[in-house]
Amino acid sequence: SLIAAVASGDTALLKGSWLVQHCASAEGPLPARQDCPPEAFWQAGDLQRVVNISRTMQDPIAVPVVALSYCWETAEHPDPSGEQLRRVACAAKLCLQECADLAVFVD
């Protein structure tokens, strides 16, 4: 299950609220997973209590899971200028008007 994958550490889900805050306060790309602070990620127990299993985004207490995948901009880095991060943060900010937070899987 998703919760088991998060609990094992094999899968990390970023908090949408953290993505929005990070984009507003930092320039450039999203840091590598190992360089993100612990508060950027959902813990399995916290996620299990709030994950949205409904089919609607409009739920002020639930957290939908979002998968994000896009082509790398360069061979060295997927988003060296942070352009994709800014686009994702903009979309996440809109989603956060309808739900408590997001759990974002970045491929």
Side-chain angles (χ1 to χ4, degrees):
S1 82
L2 179 62
I3 301 300
V6 170
S8 74
D10 292 338
T11 301
L13 299 175
L14 282 167
K15 293 180 179 178
S17 56
W18 183 86
L19 276 173
V20 170
Q21 282 183 314
H22 175 76
C23 188
S25 65
E27 290 189 24
L30 182 67
R33 176 180 174 179
Q34 63 270 22
D35 296 330
C36 288
E39 63 270 14
F41 299 101
W42 283 99
Q43 299 300 311
D46 296 335
L47 189 61
Q48 188 169 18
R49 285 189 287 278
V50 296
V51 72
N52 185 347
I53 58 172
S54 72
R55 298 214 179 253
T56 179
M57 283 282 279
Q58 296 176 327
D59 188 335
I61 60 170
V63 174
V65 177
V66 177
L68 174 64
S69 181
Y70 55 88
C71 295
W72 280 42
E73 189 175 326
T74 68
E76 296 79 31
H77 195 280
D79 186 25
S81 66
E83 178 62 28
Q84 295 297 333
L85 172 61
R86 286 189 293 279
R87 291 178 183 179
V88 169
C90 182
K93 191 174 181 178
L94 290 172
C95 291
L96 291 173
Q97 295 174 7
E98 302 293 332
C99 57
D101 207 334
L102 299 170
V104 183
F105 174 78
V106 181
D107 179 25

